[in-house]
Amino acid sequence: MKLLNKTVQYYFLLSVVLLLVAVPVFYFVLQRIVIANVDARLIATKTQLIPRLQVMENKQPLLDNDITLEKSGRPGAKDSLYTSDKGTYRLLTSYLVINQETYRLQIKSSLANHQALITSIIILQVLLLSLLLAGLLLINRSLARQVWKPFYNTLRKLRAYKVDQVEPLQLPHSKVNEFEELNTAVEQLAERSRKSYVAQKEFAENASHEMRTPLAIFQGKLELLMQTTPLTEEQATLITDMASASQRMARLNKGLILLTRIQNGQFPETEEVSIKKMTLHLLEQYQQQMQQKELILEQHWEEDLHISANPTLIEVLLSNLLVNAIRHNLKGGQIIVKLSAGVLTVQNTGQLYALNANRLFQRFSKNSADTESMGLGLEIVKKICDLYQFEISYAYEHPLHTFHVIMKR
């Protein structure tokens, strides 16, 4: 929920609570005022009647329908005011001594007209308060939108900002001190991030270049050395080991540089990638390796999945999973590739026990004695999955090791 709507929501809920409390209180106070007014009129009527009644003889004077006078054997009682007949009348009862006899005087006044007036006033009040509340909500929302406008401008700029762009982040100025301070702090933070990114990018590029060059020279010299004669068997073995080590260093350098570039977000370009098409292309490339190990390949394509991502990274992800399934497989083993409901599954036979899932995706974690493995492939896969918010998991169910990559939910 947007901050603007959140503020308006709280304001609306508080206003409704106040309205629900204010209307009953207003009704109660108004009713008490009306009853007090009716009581005052009843007392005034009694006060006006007493002189007429004190001079009456045997015959009672003519009285209104709301006034009754009758003899009573209850002398000395105090006047009483109360509401009778289910709240429709207000009744004054008084005892008078006239010509040495006690009379009970009752004067009543109808509350029906007053109740109708109160009801009309309450309805009118509710309507006015509702209109006032609706108006205040609209005004408050409009004012809040104006007040928060600099914040949303900053948010829009931040969403469009990329740390790899050349120009530093420039946010619009605001007349509100808090927003101006926020923009200044964000600009400073973005500039530090941009400089750090540029420094890391230059380091990765320089390190890659500086390490590739001596490795290439070293491998070239080894090839020249292998071509020299005479060459003893012991020398040939040593040179072969050195060539193998140099190739391993080259792959390690490539893997570490790739990890650094992924962590630095140096693959901003995206385009639509077909997972099925790219996987089939890679499987065709790895045909020779699978034939050498006499592997049986099963494919289940229930759909084709298209995602928006950097094609190089997706190729690295798929390639590492397939190479992992080939490299750690048994001779004459099995590889199963599935794509269904947005989930890519790669299964392979191999070691007859489950791998350590807690260390599987960590750097330099090796679960086999394969000297060709750098221990970086699955970490690179995990980094790419994290980058695109894919979910990767591993499971072992005899005899298959299974990797699930949830690419789309």
Side-chain angles (χ1 to χ4, degrees), residues 285-360:
Q285 287 186 342
Y286 296 137
Q287 274 293 326
Q288 184 178 358
Q289 289 90 327
M290 287 190 286
Q291 288 174 357
Q292 287 176 353
K293 298 190 78 169
E294 300 176 3
L295 299 179
I296 300 172
L297 175 64
E298 286 187 28
Q299 302 178 55
H300 303 278
W301 305 101
E302 296 186 8
E303 62 176 11
D304 188 10
L305 177 62
H306 294 266
I307 61 172
S308 179
N310 185 284
T312 302
L313 290 185
I314 298 301
E315 184 175 354
V316 171
L317 184 152
L318 299 175
S319 174
N320 283 4
L321 287 176
L322 295 176
V323 168
N324 188 66
I326 296 171
R327 178 175 294 162
H328 301 292
N329 216 320
L330 304 172
K331 187 172 183 180
Q334 185 181 18
I335 294 178
I336 304 173
V337 180
K338 301 178 185 175
L339 183 60
S340 174
V343 180
L344 176 71
T345 303
V346 178
Q347 296 175 295
N348 65 277
T349 51
Q351 297 176 355
L352 299 178
Y353 53 85
L355 305 178
N356 187 345
N358 294 327
R359 299 187 67 249
L360 197 58

Coordinates of all heavy atoms in Angstrom, one line a residue, residues 285-360:
Q285 N 26.0 -29.2 -28.3 CA 27.4 -29.0 -28.2 C 28.1 -30.0 -27.3 O 29.3 -30.4 -27.5 CB 27.6 -27.6 -27.6 CG 27.3 -26.4 -28.5 CD 27.7 -25.1 -27.9 OE1 27.9 -25.0 -26.7 NE2 27.8 -24.1 -28.7
Y286 N 27.4 -30.6 -26.3 CA 28.0 -31.5 -25.4 C 27.8 -33.0 -25.8 O 28.0 -33.9 -25.1 CB 27.4 -31.3 -24.0 CG 27.7 -30.0 -23.4 CD1 26.8 -29.3 -22.7 CD2 29.0 -29.4 -23.6 CE1 27.1 -28.0 -22.2 CE2 29.3 -28.2 -23.1 CZ 28.3 -27.5 -22.4 OH 28.6 -26.2 -21.9
Q287 N 27.3 -33.2 -27.1 CA 27.1 -34.6 -27.6 C 28.4 -35.4 -27.5 O 28.3 -36.6 -27.1 CB 26.6 -34.5 -29.1 CG 25.1 -34.3 -29.2 CD 24.3 -35.5 -28.7 OE1 24.7 -36.6 -28.8 NE2 23.2 -35.2 -28.2
Q288 N 29.5 -34.8 -27.9 CA 30.7 -35.6 -27.9 C 31.1 -36.1 -26.5 O 31.5 -37.2 -26.3 CB 31.9 -34.8 -28.5 CG 33.2 -35.5 -28.6 CD 34.2 -34.7 -29.3 OE1 34.0 -33.6 -29.6 NE2 35.4 -35.3 -29.4
Q289 N 31.0 -35.1 -25.5 CA 31.3 -35.5 -24.1 C 30.4 -36.6 -23.6 O 30.8 -37.5 -22.9 CB 31.2 -34.3 -23.2 CG 32.3 -33.3 -23.4 CD 32.0 -32.2 -24.4 OE1 31.3 -32.5 -25.4 NE2 32.5 -31.0 -24.3
M290 N 29.1 -36.5 -24.0 CA 28.1 -37.5 -23.5 C 28.4 -38.9 -24.2 O 28.3 -39.9 -23.6 CB 26.7 -37.1 -23.8 CG 26.2 -35.9 -22.9 SD 24.5 -35.6 -23.0 CE 24.5 -34.7 -24.5
Q291 N 28.8 -38.8 -25.5 CA 29.1 -40.1 -26.1 C 30.3 -40.8 -25.6 O 30.4 -42.0 -25.5 CB 29.3 -39.8 -27.6 CG 28.0 -39.5 -28.4 CD 28.2 -39.1 -29.8 OE1 29.4 -39.0 -30.3 NE2 27.1 -38.8 -30.5
Q292 N 31.3 -39.9 -25.2 CA 32.6 -40.5 -24.6 C 32.2 -41.3 -23.3 O 32.9 -42.3 -23.0 CB 33.6 -39.4 -24.3 CG 34.2 -38.8 -25.6 CD 35.1 -37.6 -25.3 OE1 35.2 -37.2 -24.1 NE2 35.8 -37.2 -26.3
K293 N 31.3 -40.8 -22.5 CA 30.9 -41.5 -21.3 C 29.7 -42.4 -21.5 O 29.2 -42.9 -20.5 CB 30.6 -40.4 -20.2 CG 31.8 -39.6 -19.8 CD 31.5 -38.7 -18.6 CE 31.7 -39.6 -17.4 NZ 31.8 -38.7 -16.1
E294 N 29.3 -42.5 -22.8 CA 28.1 -43.4 -23.1 C 26.9 -43.1 -22.3 O 26.2 -44.0 -21.7 CB 28.6 -44.9 -22.9 CG 29.8 -45.3 -23.8 CD 30.2 -46.7 -23.5 OE1 29.6 -47.4 -22.7 OE2 31.2 -47.1 -24.1
L295 N 26.6 -41.8 -22.1 CA 25.5 -41.4 -21.3 C 24.2 -41.5 -22.1 O 24.1 -41.3 -23.3 CB 25.7 -40.0 -20.8 CG 26.9 -39.7 -20.0 CD1 27.0 -38.3 -19.6 CD2 26.9 -40.6 -18.7
I296 N 23.1 -41.8 -21.4 CA 21.7 -41.9 -22.0 C 21.0 -40.6 -21.7 O 20.8 -40.3 -20.5 CB 21.0 -43.1 -21.5 CG1 21.7 -44.4 -21.9 CG2 19.6 -43.1 -22.1 CD1 21.1 -45.6 -21.2
L297 N 20.6 -39.9 -22.7 CA 19.9 -38.6 -22.5 C 18.4 -38.7 -22.7 O 17.9 -39.2 -23.7 CB 20.5 -37.5 -23.4 CG 19.8 -36.2 -23.4 CD1 20.0 -35.5 -22.0 CD2 20.3 -35.3 -24.5
E298 N 17.6 -38.3 -21.7 CA 16.2 -38.2 -21.8 C 15.7 -36.7 -21.7 O 16.3 -36.0 -20.9 CB 15.5 -38.9 -20.6 CG 15.5 -40.4 -20.7 CD 14.7 -41.1 -19.6 OE1 13.7 -40.4 -19.2 OE2 15.1 -42.2 -19.2
Q299 N 14.8 -36.4 -22.6 CA 14.3 -35.0 -22.6 C 12.8 -35.0 -22.5 O 12.1 -35.7 -23.2 CB 14.8 -34.3 -23.9 CG 16.3 -34.3 -24.1 CD 16.6 -33.6 -25.4 OE1 16.3 -32.5 -25.7 NE2 17.3 -34.4 -26.3
H300 N 12.3 -34.1 -21.7 CA 10.8 -33.9 -21.5 C 10.5 -32.4 -21.6 O 10.8 -31.7 -20.7 CB 10.4 -34.5 -20.2 CG 10.7 -35.9 -20.0 ND1 9.9 -36.9 -20.5 CD2 11.8 -36.5 -19.4 CE1 10.5 -38.1 -20.2 NE2 11.6 -37.9 -19.5
W301 N 10.0 -32.0 -22.7 CA 9.7 -30.6 -23.0 C 8.2 -30.4 -23.0 O 7.5 -30.6 -24.0 CB 10.3 -30.1 -24.2 CG 11.8 -30.3 -24.3 CD1 12.4 -31.3 -25.0 CD2 12.8 -29.6 -23.7 NE1 13.8 -31.2 -24.9 CE2 14.0 -30.1 -24.0 CE3 12.8 -28.5 -22.8 CZ2 15.3 -29.7 -23.5 CZ3 14.0 -28.0 -22.4 CH2 15.2 -28.6 -22.7
E302 N 7.6 -30.1 -21.9 CA 6.1 -29.8 -21.8 C 5.8 -28.4 -22.3 O 4.6 -28.1 -22.5 CB 5.6 -30.1 -20.4 CG 5.8 -31.5 -19.9 CD 5.1 -31.8 -18.6 OE1 4.4 -30.8 -18.1 OE2 5.3 -32.9 -18.1
E303 N 6.8 -27.5 -22.3 CA 6.5 -26.2 -22.7 C 7.8 -25.5 -23.1 O 8.9 -26.1 -22.8 CB 5.8 -25.4 -21.6 CG 6.7 -25.3 -20.4 CD 6.1 -24.4 -19.3 OE1 4.9 -24.1 -19.4 OE2 6.8 -24.1 -18.4
D304 N 7.8 -24.3 -23.7 CA 9.0 -23.5 -23.8 C 8.8 -22.3 -22.9 O 7.8 -21.7 -22.9 CB 9.1 -23.1 -25.3 CG 10.5 -22.4 -25.5 OD1 11.3 -22.5 -24.6 OD2 10.7 -21.8 -26.6
L305 N 9.9 -22.0 -22.2 CA 9.8 -20.9 -21.3 C 10.7 -19.7 -21.8 O 11.8 -19.9 -22.1 CB 10.4 -21.4 -19.9 CG 10.5 -20.3 -18.8 CD1 9.1 -19.8 -18.5 CD2 11.1 -20.9 -17.6
H306 N 10.0 -18.6 -21.9 CA 10.7 -17.4 -22.3 C 10.9 -16.4 -21.2 O 9.9 -16.1 -20.5 CB 9.9 -16.7 -23.5 CG 9.9 -17.5 -24.7 ND1 10.8 -17.4 -25.8 CD2 9.0 -18.5 -25.1 CE1 10.5 -18.2 -26.7 NE2 9.4 -18.9 -26.3
I307 N 12.1 -16.0 -20.9 CA 12.4 -15.1 -19.8 C 13.2 -13.9 -20.3 O 13.8 -14.0 -21.4 CB 13.1 -15.8 -18.7 CG1 14.5 -16.3 -19.2 CG2 12.3 -16.9 -18.1 CD1 15.4 -16.8 -18.1
S308 N 13.1 -12.8 -19.6 CA 13.8 -11.6 -19.9 C 15.1 -11.6 -19.1 O 15.0 -11.4 -17.8 CB 13.0 -10.3 -19.7 OG 13.8 -9.2 -20.0
A309 N 16.2 -11.8 -19.7 CA 17.5 -11.9 -18.9 C 18.7 -11.7 -19.8 O 18.5 -11.6 -21.1 CB 17.6 -13.3 -18.2
N310 N 19.8 -11.6 -19.3 CA 21.1 -11.5 -20.1 C 21.4 -12.9 -20.7 O 21.5 -13.9 -19.9 CB 22.2 -11.1 -19.2 CG 23.5 -10.8 -20.0 OD1 24.2 -11.8 -20.4 ND2 23.8 -9.6 -20.3
P311 N 21.4 -13.0 -22.0 CA 21.6 -14.4 -22.6 C 22.9 -15.0 -22.2 O 23.0 -16.3 -22.1 CB 21.5 -14.1 -24.1 CG 21.7 -12.6 -24.2 CD 21.3 -12.0 -23.0
T312 N 24.0 -14.2 -22.0 CA 25.3 -14.8 -21.6 C 25.1 -15.5 -20.3 O 25.6 -16.6 -20.1 CB 26.3 -13.7 -21.6 OG1 26.4 -13.1 -22.9 CG2 27.7 -14.3 -21.2
L313 N 24.5 -14.8 -19.3 CA 24.4 -15.4 -18.0 C 23.5 -16.7 -18.0 O 23.8 -17.6 -17.3 CB 23.8 -14.4 -17.0 CG 24.7 -13.2 -16.6 CD1 24.1 -12.3 -15.6 CD2 26.1 -13.7 -16.1
I314 N 22.4 -16.6 -18.8 CA 21.5 -17.8 -18.8 C 22.3 -19.0 -19.5 O 22.1 -20.1 -19.1 CB 20.2 -17.5 -19.6 CG1 19.5 -16.4 -18.9 CG2 19.4 -18.7 -19.8 CD1 19.1 -16.7 -17.5
E315 N 23.1 -18.7 -20.5 CA 23.9 -19.7 -21.1 C 24.9 -20.3 -20.1 O 25.1 -21.5 -20.1 CB 24.6 -19.2 -22.3 CG 25.4 -20.3 -23.1 CD 26.0 -19.7 -24.4 OE1 25.7 -18.6 -24.7 OE2 26.7 -20.5 -25.0
V316 N 25.5 -19.5 -19.3 CA 26.4 -19.9 -18.3 C 25.7 -20.8 -17.3 O 26.2 -21.9 -16.9 CB 27.1 -18.7 -17.6 CG1 27.9 -19.2 -16.4 CG2 28.0 -18.0 -18.5
L317 N 24.5 -20.4 -16.9 CA 23.7 -21.1 -15.9 C 23.4 -22.5 -16.4 O 23.6 -23.6 -15.8 CB 22.4 -20.4 -15.6 CG 21.5 -21.0 -14.5 CD1 20.7 -19.8 -13.8 CD2 20.5 -22.0 -15.0
L318 N 22.8 -22.6 -17.6 CA 22.4 -23.9 -18.2 C 23.7 -24.7 -18.5 O 23.7 -26.0 -18.2 CB 21.6 -23.7 -19.5 CG 20.3 -22.9 -19.3 CD1 19.7 -22.6 -20.7 CD2 19.4 -23.6 -18.5
S319 N 24.7 -24.1 -19.0 CA 25.9 -24.8 -19.3 C 26.5 -25.5 -18.1 O 26.9 -26.6 -18.1 CB 26.9 -23.9 -20.0 OG 28.2 -24.5 -20.2
N320 N 26.6 -24.7 -17.0 CA 27.2 -25.3 -15.8 C 26.4 -26.4 -15.2 O 26.9 -27.4 -14.7 CB 27.3 -24.2 -14.7 CG 28.4 -23.2 -14.9 OD1 29.1 -23.4 -15.9 ND2 28.6 -22.3 -14.0
L321 N 25.0 -26.4 -15.3 CA 24.2 -27.5 -14.8 C 24.4 -28.7 -15.7 O 24.6 -29.8 -15.2 CB 22.7 -27.1 -14.9 CG 22.3 -26.1 -13.8 CD1 20.8 -25.7 -14.0 CD2 22.4 -26.7 -12.4
L322 N 24.5 -28.5 -17.0 CA 24.7 -29.7 -17.9 C 26.1 -30.3 -17.8 O 26.3 -31.5 -17.7 CB 24.4 -29.3 -19.4 CG 22.9 -28.8 -19.6 CD1 22.8 -28.3 -21.1 CD2 22.0 -30.0 -19.4
V323 N 27.1 -29.4 -17.7 CA 28.5 -29.9 -17.6 C 28.6 -30.6 -16.3 O 29.3 -31.7 -16.2 CB 29.4 -28.7 -17.7 CG1 30.8 -29.1 -17.2 CG2 29.5 -28.2 -19.1
N324 N 28.0 -30.1 -15.2 CA 28.0 -30.7 -13.9 C 27.4 -32.1 -14.0 O 27.9 -33.1 -13.4 CB 27.3 -29.9 -12.9 CG 27.4 -30.4 -11.5 OD1 28.5 -30.3 -10.9 ND2 26.3 -30.9 -10.9
A325 N 26.3 -32.3 -14.7 CA 25.6 -33.6 -14.9 C 26.5 -34.5 -15.7 O 26.4 -35.8 -15.4 CB 24.2 -33.4 -15.5
I326 N 27.2 -34.0 -16.6 CA 28.1 -34.9 -17.5 C 29.4 -35.3 -16.7 O 29.7 -36.5 -16.6 CB 28.4 -34.2 -18.8 CG1 27.2 -33.9 -19.6 CG2 29.5 -35.0 -19.6 CD1 27.4 -33.1 -20.8
R327 N 30.0 -34.3 -16.1 CA 31.3 -34.5 -15.5 C 31.2 -35.5 -14.3 O 32.1 -36.3 -14.1 CB 31.9 -33.1 -15.0 CG 33.2 -33.3 -14.3 CD 33.7 -31.9 -14.0 NE 34.1 -31.2 -15.2 CZ 34.2 -29.9 -15.2 NH1 34.1 -29.1 -14.2 NH2 34.6 -29.3 -16.4
H328 N 30.1 -35.3 -13.5 CA 30.0 -36.2 -12.3 C 29.2 -37.4 -12.5 O 28.7 -38.0 -11.5 CB 29.5 -35.3 -11.1 CG 30.3 -34.1 -10.8 ND1 31.5 -34.2 -10.3 CD2 30.1 -32.8 -11.0 CE1 32.1 -33.0 -10.1 NE2 31.2 -32.1 -10.6
N329 N 29.0 -37.8 -13.7 CA 28.1 -38.9 -14.1 C 29.0 -40.2 -14.1 O 30.2 -40.1 -14.2 CB 27.4 -38.7 -15.4 CG 26.0 -39.3 -15.4 OD1 25.8 -40.4 -14.8 ND2 25.0 -38.6 -15.9
L330 N 28.3 -41.3 -14.2 CA 29.0 -42.6 -14.3 C 29.1 -43.0 -15.8 O 28.3 -42.5 -16.6 CB 28.2 -43.7 -13.5 CG 28.0 -43.4 -12.0 CD1 27.0 -44.5 -11.5 CD2 29.3 -43.5 -11.3
K331 N 30.0 -43.8 -16.1 CA 30.0 -44.3 -17.5 C 28.8 -45.2 -17.8 O 28.5 -46.1 -17.0 CB 31.3 -45.1 -17.7 CG 31.5 -45.5 -19.2 CD 32.9 -46.1 -19.5 CE 33.0 -46.4 -21.0 NZ 34.3 -47.0 -21.3
G332 N 28.1 -44.8 -18.9 CA 26.9 -45.5 -19.2 C 25.7 -45.0 -18.3 O 24.7 -45.7 -18.2
G333 N 25.9 -43.9 -17.7 CA 24.8 -43.3 -16.8 C 23.7 -42.6 -17.5 O 23.5 -42.8 -18.8
Q334 N 22.9 -41.8 -16.8 CA 21.7 -41.3 -17.4 C 21.6 -39.8 -17.0 O 22.0 -39.3 -15.9 CB 20.5 -42.0 -16.8 CG 19.2 -41.6 -17.4 CD 18.0 -42.3 -16.7 OE1 18.2 -42.9 -15.6 NE2 16.9 -42.4 -17.4
I335 N 21.1 -39.0 -18.0 CA 20.9 -37.6 -17.8 C 19.4 -37.3 -18.2 O 19.0 -37.7 -19.3 CB 21.8 -36.7 -18.6 CG1 23.2 -36.8 -18.1 CG2 21.4 -35.2 -18.5 CD1 24.2 -36.0 -18.8
I336 N 18.6 -36.7 -17.4 CA 17.2 -36.3 -17.7 C 17.1 -34.8 -17.6 O 17.4 -34.2 -16.5 CB 16.3 -37.0 -16.7 CG1 16.5 -38.5 -16.7 CG2 14.8 -36.7 -17.1 CD1 15.7 -39.3 -15.7
V337 N 16.6 -34.2 -18.6 CA 16.3 -32.8 -18.7 C 14.8 -32.6 -18.9 O 14.2 -33.1 -19.8 CB 17.1 -32.1 -19.8 CG1 16.8 -30.6 -19.8 CG2 18.6 -32.4 -19.6
K338 N 14.2 -31.8 -18.0 CA 12.8 -31.5 -18.0 C 12.5 -30.0 -18.0 O 13.3 -29.3 -17.3 CB 12.0 -32.2 -16.9 CG 12.1 -33.7 -16.7 CD 11.4 -34.1 -15.5 CE 11.6 -35.6 -15.3 NZ 11.0 -36.1 -14.0
L339 N 11.5 -29.6 -18.6 CA 11.0 -28.2 -18.5 C 9.5 -28.2 -18.4 O 8.8 -28.6 -19.4 CB 11.5 -27.4 -19.7 CG 11.1 -25.9 -19.7 CD1 11.7 -25.2 -18.4 CD2 11.6 -25.1 -20.9
S340 N 9.0 -27.8 -17.3 CA 7.5 -27.9 -17.1 C 7.1 -26.8 -16.0 O 7.8 -26.7 -15.0 CB 7.1 -29.3 -16.6 OG 5.8 -29.3 -16.2
A341 N 6.0 -26.1 -16.3 CA 5.4 -25.2 -15.4 C 6.5 -24.2 -14.9 O 6.5 -23.9 -13.7 CB 4.8 -25.9 -14.3
G342 N 7.4 -23.7 -15.7 CA 8.3 -22.7 -15.3 C 9.5 -23.3 -14.5 O 10.3 -22.5 -14.0
V343 N 9.6 -24.6 -14.4 CA 10.7 -25.2 -13.7 C 11.6 -26.0 -14.6 O 11.1 -26.9 -15.3 CB 10.1 -26.1 -12.5 CG1 11.3 -26.7 -11.7 CG2 9.2 -25.3 -11.6
L344 N 12.9 -25.8 -14.6 CA 13.9 -26.5 -15.3 C 14.5 -27.6 -14.3 O 14.9 -27.2 -13.2 CB 15.0 -25.7 -15.9 CG 16.1 -26.4 -16.6 CD1 15.6 -27.0 -17.9 CD2 17.3 -25.5 -16.8
T345 N 14.5 -28.8 -14.7 CA 15.0 -29.9 -13.9 C 16.1 -30.6 -14.6 O 15.9 -31.0 -15.8 CB 13.9 -30.9 -13.5 OG1 12.8 -30.2 -12.9 CG2 14.4 -32.0 -12.6
V346 N 17.3 -30.8 -14.0 CA 18.4 -31.5 -14.5 C 18.7 -32.6 -13.5 O 19.0 -32.4 -12.4 CB 19.6 -30.6 -14.8 CG1 20.8 -31.5 -15.3 CG2 19.2 -29.5 -15.7
Q347 N 18.6 -33.9 -14.0 CA 18.9 -35.0 -13.2 C 20.0 -35.9 -13.8 O 20.1 -36.0 -15.0 CB 17.6 -35.9 -13.0 CG 16.5 -35.2 -12.3 CD 15.2 -36.1 -12.3 OE1 14.6 -36.4 -13.3 NE2 14.8 -36.5 -11.1
N348 N 20.8 -36.4 -12.9 CA 21.9 -37.3 -13.4 C 22.2 -38.4 -12.4 O 22.1 -38.2 -11.2 CB 23.1 -36.5 -13.7 CG 23.7 -35.9 -12.5 OD1 23.3 -34.8 -12.1 ND2 24.8 -36.5 -11.9
T349 N 22.7 -39.5 -12.9 CA 23.2 -40.5 -12.1 C 24.6 -40.1 -11.7 O 25.3 -39.3 -12.3 CB 23.2 -41.9 -12.8 OG1 23.9 -41.7 -14.0 CG2 21.8 -42.4 -13.0
G350 N 25.2 -40.7 -10.7 CA 26.5 -40.4 -10.2 C 26.9 -41.1 -8.9 O 26.6 -42.3 -8.8
Q351 N 27.4 -40.4 -8.0 CA 27.7 -41.0 -6.7 C 26.5 -41.5 -6.0 O 25.4 -40.9 -6.1 CB 28.4 -39.9 -5.8 CG 29.7 -39.4 -6.4 CD 30.4 -38.3 -5.5 OE1 29.8 -37.9 -4.6 NE2 31.6 -37.9 -5.9
L352 N 26.6 -42.6 -5.4 CA 25.4 -43.3 -4.8 C 25.1 -42.8 -3.4 O 24.8 -43.6 -2.5 CB 25.7 -44.8 -4.8 CG 25.9 -45.5 -6.2 CD1 26.2 -47.0 -6.1 CD2 24.7 -45.2 -7.1
Y353 N 25.3 -41.5 -3.2 CA 24.9 -40.9 -1.9 C 24.6 -39.5 -2.2 O 25.0 -38.9 -3.2 CB 26.0 -41.1 -0.9 CG 27.4 -40.6 -1.3 CD1 27.7 -39.2 -1.2 CD2 28.3 -41.5 -1.8 CE1 28.9 -38.8 -1.6 CE2 29.5 -41.0 -2.3 CZ 29.9 -39.7 -2.1 OH 31.1 -39.2 -2.5
A354 N 23.9 -38.9 -1.2 CA 23.5 -37.5 -1.4 C 24.7 -36.6 -1.1 O 25.5 -36.8 -0.3 CB 22.4 -37.1 -0.4
L355 N 24.7 -35.5 -1.9 CA 25.8 -34.5 -1.7 C 25.4 -33.6 -0.5 O 24.2 -33.5 -0.1 CB 26.0 -33.6 -3.0 CG 26.3 -34.4 -4.2 CD1 26.3 -33.5 -5.4 CD2 27.5 -35.3 -4.1
N356 N 26.4 -32.9 0.0 CA 26.2 -32.0 1.1 C 25.5 -30.7 0.6 O 26.1 -29.8 0.0 CB 27.5 -31.6 1.8 CG 27.2 -30.8 3.1 OD1 26.2 -30.2 3.3 ND2 28.2 -30.7 3.9
A357 N 24.1 -30.6 0.8 CA 23.4 -29.5 0.2 C 23.8 -28.2 0.8 O 23.6 -27.1 0.2 CB 21.9 -29.8 0.4
N358 N 24.3 -28.2 2.1 CA 24.6 -26.9 2.7 C 25.9 -26.3 2.1 O 26.1 -25.1 2.2 CB 24.9 -27.2 4.2 CG 23.6 -27.6 4.9 OD1 22.5 -27.2 4.5 ND2 23.7 -28.5 5.9
R359 N 26.8 -27.1 1.6 CA 28.0 -26.6 1.0 C 28.1 -26.7 -0.5 O 29.0 -26.2 -1.1 CB 29.2 -27.4 1.6 CG 29.3 -27.3 3.1 CD 30.6 -27.9 3.6 NE 31.8 -27.2 3.1 CZ 32.6 -27.7 2.3 NH1 32.5 -28.8 1.7 NH2 33.7 -26.9 1.9
L360 N 27.0 -27.2 -1.1 CA 27.0 -27.5 -2.5 C 27.2 -26.2 -3.4 O 27.9 -26.2 -4.4 CB 25.7 -28.1 -2.9 CG 25.6 -28.9 -4.3 CD1 26.7 -29.9 -4.3 CD2 24.2 -29.5 -4.5

